[in-house]
Amino acid sequence: MLNFCGKMVARGALVLLGAVFSLLCSACGNGGQSGKSDGCGELATLEYARNLKMGSPCDENLLEVRSVVGRDTLVKRFALRKRAEGEGAAEGVVDLSHGRAKETVLRVPLERVVALSSAQVGFLLRLGLMDRIVAVGEGKYIADSALYARVQRGEVAEVGNGTSISLEKILAVRPDLVMDFATGGSQDDYERINSLGIPLMLTSEWQEEHPLAKIEWIKLFGKLFGVEARADSIYEQSKNAYLQAANGGVAGVSPARGGSGPAPTNLTQLRQRVAKFRISAGSGTFVTEPTKESEGETSPNKSEVEIASPSARNDTVPCPRVIAGVNYGGVWYAPGGNSFTAHLIRDAGGCYLWASDTSRELTFTLEEIMLVADSADVWVNPGAFSSAEDILAAEPRVKHIRAFREKRVCQNDGRKGPGGGNDFYESAVAYPAELLQSLRNCIQNATNGADSARKEFDWYRNIFIF
């Protein structure tokens, strides 16, 4: 009897094991082929974008959106299912089995969306989806005149941003999805929005490090709103046009010249030279002041950041050296060598001073900037200042930057909406090739539009001219 029972238990175990194996093999519809189930739920990285993944494992149309928020990384998955006539867009957060994490199911195409970032608006407009936008944060920041007019007429609601966001107004517009973003700062509002139970997506195209990585996010909008073919076509056209423009040669502005000698080759040398000088805050003049304790001081985080040579892009053809960023409260904030701005400058034919850096952001003292001030042919993105007078009012000592003295300062606010919204943050992300050409014109000529009519896509301008 014991033997019989033992055999029955063993037989039952084998049958159960076989059933489980069969279930695993068939879960993804792979016809029982071994090895296919291991990758079920895995999504491939896109061509350029690093914070977005898309794919159809297990015959399920999935999106994965990644946002870096402070020291944390938020990853959220969405499953897209075809919407039946008259059906709502959201199905809630469900477990779709296959051993994957819980995912928010959205019925697509979406018909009503709240877009709280300028870039989200830009992508939707590029795809011709203005009528899907039922609410924005604040209408005054909308650069597109047609959408701005709809906000003014009350056809598109304003729900606010940050601590002023109105949850009641969001509920009132009955959105299929709220699109937001997170920075890790005190103005983040996504946790409050999430409490509504409405599907929420945090887009992070603004954290991408390359112009083509940003435009690749248009594929996300194509999937969500049922215009996937259109979005893919725009991406391919934009990519090809951008790459062609990036290979179109380098600028003809003379490289660094004159001034106080060659720029320090890295920040170790730069800080050694800073120790020998101080800058008079009142007059903005250099005062020699030798010291001992700072001699040889290094920064372990930045000691390898080299200053770009005038021929960094080409061994025979010099290119203009470009400095970027602005001084706030005694600290100069500059994009790192692996940032969106650094890639754009390089592809526009410029030699970014800190091109060899591998970070997204750098900080310097004003004294450190002054020691490379004579090395800069062009100054790009001087904060939010719109005129030379505004820059000087905030920090008089920037007059020592040669690019400022020679009136070669390129600002990105050449296109503004009726309410003053900067179109650089709205549509430029969706037109990378045109953005590249706009910056190239400013870097090369430094007289952008002086003798001709403004072009349609002219985000960059020389602040001394317009």
Side-chain angles (χ1 to χ4, degrees):
M1 186 69 178
L2 185 59
N3 254 347
F4 176 78
C5 290
K7 288 180 180 178
M8 290 300 292
V9 169
R11 186 174 181 181
L14 287 172
V15 171
L16 180 61
L17 185 61
V20 171
F21 180 79
S22 177
L23 179 63
L24 288 173
C25 287
S26 62
C28 296
N30 60 17
Q33 297 178 21
S34 62
K36 292 291 184 70
S37 62
D38 291 341
C40 188
E42 293 299 320
L43 298 176
T45 303
L46 299 184
E47 187 174 9
Y48 286 91
R50 292 296 172 261
N51 294 325
L52 175 65
K53 293 182 179 181
M54 300 187 299
S56 301
C58 303
D59 297 324
E60 191 79 64
N61 197 1
L62 298 179
L63 304 173
E64 184 176 283
V65 181
R66 174 178 175 270
S67 297
V68 178
V69 183
R71 295 184 178 181
D72 299 323
T73 299
L74 304 180
V75 180
K76 191 169 183 179
R77 277 195 171 190
F78 298 83
L80 309 184
R81 294 178 178 173
K82 188 174 179 60
R83 180 204 293 259
E85 187 174 352
E87 185 179 22
E91 201 173 286
V93 179
V94 298
D95 190 335
L96 296 177
S97 71
H98 310 317
R100 302 196 306 261
K102 291 183 178 180
E103 295 145 353
T104 298
V105 175
L106 295 175
R107 295 291 179 176
V108 294
L110 302 180
E111 296 177 352
R112 302 173 64 83
V113 65
V114 174
L116 296 178
S117 87
S118 297
Q120 293 161 5
V121 170
F123 285 128
L124 289 164
L125 294 178
R126 180 79 201 267
L127 289 167
L129 300 173
M130 183 190 300
D131 61 331
R132 310 288 182 93
I133 303 174
V134 295
V136 295
E138 295 182 67
K140 65 182 180 181
Y141 295 118
I142 299 297
D144 182 83
S145 58
L147 181 57
Y148 180 87
R150 292 193 65 193
V151 174
Q152 295 303 302
R153 292 193 300 265
E155 298 171 8
V156 173
E158 295 180 83
V159 298
N161 283 302
T163 57
S164 66
I165 197 163
S166 171
L167 302 185
E168 292 77 12
K169 289 182 177 180
I170 292 178
L171 287 172
V173 297
R174 299 175 291 106
D176 296 330
L177 177 69
V178 177
M179 305 190 83
D180 198 3
F181 63 98
T183 65
S186 60
Q187 292 297 308
D188 281 350
D189 49 25
Y190 66 94
E191 290 183 339
R192 293 181 60 206
I193 298 172
N194 198 44
S195 69
L196 296 175
I198 297 172
L200 171 66
M201 180 181 291
L202 302 179
T203 64
S204 55
E205 78 295 320
W206 62 278
Q207 294 179 335
E208 298 286 0
E209 297 170 348
H210 195 281
L212 293 182
K214 290 193 177 187
I215 183 60
E216 196 165 18
W217 277 73
I218 202 167
K219 295 180 178 180
L220 166 72
F221 292 81
K223 281 184 173 291
L224 291 175
F225 295 92
V227 290
E228 191 171 353
R230 188 188 313 168
D232 290 345
S233 176
I234 289 175
Y235 169 70
E236 290 298 328
Q237 292 173 12
S238 297
K239 180 184 70 173
N240 293 335
Y242 183 95
L243 294 175
Q244 182 177 2
N247 293 325
V250 296
V253 180
S254 300
R257 57 193 182 280
S260 56
T265 58
N266 58 45
L267 288 185
T268 301
Q269 295 180 18
L270 187 149
R271 287 196 165 96
Q272 289 173 357
R273 288 180 57 181
V274 167
K276 300 178 182 180
F277 294 91
R278 64 179 172 83
I279 304 175
S280 169
S283 63
T285 57
F286 286 100
V287 180
T288 303
E289 188 175 89
T291 63
K292 294 181 180 180
E293 63 272 19
S294 298
E295 198 69 38
E297 182 180 337
T298 63
S299 170
N301 295 325
K302 299 180 181 178
S303 60
E304 299 304 318
V305 181
E306 297 183 354
I307 304 299
S309 68
S311 57
R313 279 179 53 92
N314 188 299
D315 292 337
T316 58
V317 181
C319 66
R321 282 179 170 177
V322 179
I323 193 171
V326 73
N327 181 72
Y328 285 114
V331 179
W332 186 284
Y333 296 92
N338 199 33
S339 65
F340 169 84
T341 300
H343 282 112
L344 193 64
I345 290 171
R346 178 200 64 197
D347 292 339
C351 287
Y352 184 47
L353 288 190
W354 296 287
S356 65
D357 171 58
T358 58
S359 66
R360 295 182 68 242
E361 185 178 69
L362 293 167
T363 57
F364 304 94
T365 65
L366 188 58
E367 285 79 6
E368 288 169 341
I369 293 299
M370 288 304 168
L371 286 177
V372 297
D374 261 7
S375 302
D377 299 291
V378 181
W379 182 3
V380 168
N381 294 355
F385 301 112
S386 59
S387 69
E389 292 75 21
D390 291 340
I391 296 175
L392 285 176
E395 179 48 75
R397 291 171 287 181
V398 300
K399 66 184 179 183
H400 292 291
I401 298 176
R402 182 165 61 85
F404 187 89
R405 295 198 312 266
E406 298 182 359
K407 300 182 178 181
R408 297 179 182 273
V409 181
C410 296
Q411 183 56 293
N412 58 35
D413 63 356
R415 285 172 51 88
K416 289 186 177 182
N422 188 353
D423 190 54
F424 176 80
Y425 301 107
E426 185 173 296
S427 73
V429 66
Y431 292 90
E434 292 81 357
L435 175 63
L436 177 63
Q437 190 58 50
S438 178
L439 179 58
R440 168 171 283 153
N441 289 342
C442 199
I443 287 179
Q444 290 188 8
N445 304 322
T447 56
N448 193 24
D451 302 314
S452 61
R454 302 292 298 278
K455 293 183 287 296
E456 181 181 1
F457 299 108
D458 201 4
W459 296 278
Y460 276 98
R461 66 183 181 93
N462 188 324
I463 64 170
F464 288 95
I465 298 172
F466 291 107

